[in-house]
Amino acid sequence: MSTTDTRESIMSVARSMVQAHGYNALSFRELAKAVGVKSASVHYHFPTKADLAAALAQRYTEDASAFLEELLDSDQGLAASFAAYTAIFRAALESDNRMCLWGIMAAEHDDLPETVRIEVDKFSLLNVRWLTRLLAREIKKPNLVAIKQKALAIFAAIEGAQLLARGRGDIKVYDQIIATYRASGLLA
Amino acid sequence: MSTTDTRESIMSVARSMVQAHGYNALSFRELAKAVGVKSASVHYHFPTKADLAAALAQRYTEDASAFLEELLDSDQGLAASFAAYTAIFRAALESDNRMCLWGIMAAEHDDLPETVRIEVDKFSLLNVRWLTRLLAREIKKPNLVAIKQKALAIFAAIEGAQLLARGRGDIKVYDQIIATYRASGLLA
DNA sequence: ACCTGAACACCGTTCAAGT
DNA sequence: ACCTGAACACCGTTCAAGT
């Protein structure tokens, strides 16, 4: 197995573990066992747990950015765009009741090493910026302050929906909450 | 210092620590040091970390229940009741950027010992039930299914607002998001 | 270049021993 | 009844040693 493969295996398995259990609960020994190396080898590729987590968060934001950019380019209507957007967070729950990497690490926010916190924060900034662009596109004379606040509220509400649905272990709870947001006018 | 005092000290300090760092990050040794005993003494009062966390969650739900019951009895209007309700979650942020005990432990939900998870779940059930009663009171012929879904959405949205505001380390973010919920019709 | 065994100070937990 | 020191198997991390 080449270096790149091992490194990629570590990132892939670690990402899945963090989305299930968070940063604190991530164990280098368990991770190493799942990958098939010794924990000291993980340290060879990522000197500290902070280095690994920061790399995970950075990659996660990059992937999200690419996906969202394409979604905006496809130039669908607002309703279809919201549906595609909320489906991303639904997909995490479908994957063994996992969470968005941001959602689970946001709860640990004050414990995260600074390098990790910085990368995690970039994900929420990206999402709010993207939602702002999506909302602004629909309006002739957009009030950017009000739109940015709405974008912030939408992101917060969706993360909250994921948190609650995960706690209940029931993806229908997520769907119901999103539907209620739509009916109340938050997602519109 | 009597037994009760030590036990209460442990619970009080632990609650504060969990609201800041979550279940996984809670250390019996750190907790013991803050209380002024040895970690083995903490185990005398709470045999395992799960026992302590379950007791914390139970107490937290009891306290919330008493407060919410009084709020409902005071029979204020919907707007005032929502204001008082959202202020509870704001207060946690005011206290050194802490979180609602449910919010931070919900992120760790799948890692929690079962006895803890059961107590944590009771908190969300209590809140959704309370919000359902609040909403139903205002309507002559309430559609209970729709109202319960709205209650679920409100709780999720508020927890999400707290999560995001905490990440930003800015309580104004919480206020703005709540205001946006109100403007969109979710909190009404 | 990549991996590992052994050591370090931490952790929750247990238990015999103290008062 | 309440507390503690010492031990256990864990943890992230380091580092000299292997290929």
Side-chain angles (χ1 to χ4, degrees):
Chain A
M1 192 187 274
S2 82
T3 302
T4 308
D5 284 341
T6 303
R7 197 189 146 88
E8 285 302 312
S9 283
I10 290 169
M11 287 195 74
S12 167
V13 174
R15 173 166 164 168
S16 164
M17 282 179 163
V18 171
Q19 284 192 248
H21 308 294
Y23 175 80
N24 279 323
L26 177 68
S27 157
F28 265 44
R29 281 178 167 85
E30 271 183 45
L31 170 59
K33 194 173 286 180
V35 173
V37 292
K38 298 293 168 185
S39 76
S41 294
V42 178
H43 283 282
Y44 172 78
H45 293 283
F46 303 95
T48 66
K49 194 167 153 177
D51 292 321
L52 171 56
L56 288 179
Q58 192 181 352
R59 172 81 62 91
Y60 193 73
T61 302
E62 281 169 10
D63 291 352
S65 179
F67 184 89
L68 292 176
E69 214 55 43
E70 208 168 320
L71 181 55
L72 208 57
D73 283 348
S74 73
D75 207 22
Q76 303 173 60
L78 199 59
S81 296
F82 276 140
Y85 184 70
T86 56
I88 303 171
F89 298 87
R90 190 184 200 278
L93 292 172
E94 287 165 9
S95 175
D96 290 328
N97 207 28
R98 285 193 170 76
M99 277 194 73
C100 161
L101 198 70
W102 181 87
I104 200 154
M105 289 180 97
E108 305 175 292
H109 196 267
D110 289 11
D111 286 316
L112 297 176
E114 203 185 357
T115 52
V116 181
R117 198 162 49 226
I118 287 167
E119 291 304 324
V120 168
D121 289 344
K122 283 182 188 167
F123 181 82
S124 76
L125 291 170
L126 165 73
N127 277 267
V128 173
R129 215 183 309 120
W130 185 85
L131 285 164
T132 303
R133 285 163 65 202
L134 178 68
L135 291 166
R137 204 171 58 170
E138 301 287 315
I139 303 171
K140 289 168 198 166
K141 290 182 180 176
N143 175 347
L144 270 176
V145 173
I147 283 179
K148 196 167 180 180
Q149 284 194 19
K150 182 150 192 175
L152 206 63
I154 289 172
F155 181 67
I158 291 173
E159 289 288 347
Q162 194 185 46
L163 196 62
L164 192 58
R166 178 167 187 263
R168 298 285 172 93
D170 184 358
I171 203 161
K172 287 198 295 291
V173 169
Y174 179 78
D175 294 334
Q176 286 173 6
I177 295 175
I178 297 297
T180 307
Y181 289 162
R182 194 176 296 117
S184 80
L186 184 63
L187 284 176
Chain B
M1 191 187 273
S2 82
T3 303
T4 308
D5 284 342
T6 303
R7 198 189 146 88
E8 286 302 312
S9 284
I10 290 170
M11 286 195 75
S12 167
V13 175
R15 174 166 162 167
S16 165
M17 283 179 163
V18 171
Q19 285 191 249
H21 308 294
Y23 176 80
N24 279 323
L26 177 69
S27 157
F28 264 44
R29 281 177 168 84
E30 272 183 44
L31 170 59
K33 195 174 286 180
V35 172
V37 292
K38 298 294 168 183
S39 76
S41 294
V42 179
H43 283 282
Y44 172 76
H45 293 283
F46 302 96
T48 67
K49 193 167 153 176
D51 292 320
L52 171 57
L56 289 179
Q58 193 181 352
R59 171 81 61 91
Y60 192 74
T61 303
E62 281 169 10
D63 290 351
S65 180
F67 184 89
L68 292 176
E69 214 55 42
E70 207 168 321
L71 182 55
L72 207 56
D73 282 350
S74 73
D75 208 22
Q76 304 174 58
L78 199 59
S81 296
F82 277 140
Y85 184 69
T86 57
I88 303 171
F89 298 88
R90 190 184 198 278
L93 292 172
E94 286 165 10
S95 176
D96 290 328
N97 208 28
R98 285 192 170 75
M99 278 194 72
C100 161
L101 198 70
W102 181 86
I104 199 154
M105 290 181 96
E108 306 175 291
H109 196 268
D110 288 12
D111 286 316
L112 297 176
E114 203 187 357
T115 52
V116 182
R117 197 161 50 226
I118 287 168
E119 290 305 322
V120 168
D121 290 344
K122 282 181 188 166
F123 181 82
S124 77
L125 291 170
L126 166 73
N127 277 269
V128 173
R129 215 183 309 122
W130 184 86
L131 284 164
T132 303
R133 287 162 64 201
L134 178 69
L135 291 166
R137 204 171 60 172
E138 301 287 314
I139 303 171
K140 290 169 199 168
K141 289 183 182 176
N143 174 349
L144 271 176
V145 173
I147 284 181
K148 198 168 178 179
Q149 284 194 19
K150 182 148 191 177
L152 205 64
I154 289 172
F155 181 67
I158 291 173
E159 289 288 346
Q162 194 185 46
L163 196 62
L164 192 58
R166 179 167 186 262
R168 296 285 171 93
D170 184 358
I171 202 160
K172 287 197 295 288
V173 169
Y174 178 79
D175 294 333
Q176 286 173 6
I177 294 174
I178 297 296
T180 307
Y181 290 162
R182 194 176 297 117
S184 79
L186 184 63
L187 285 177

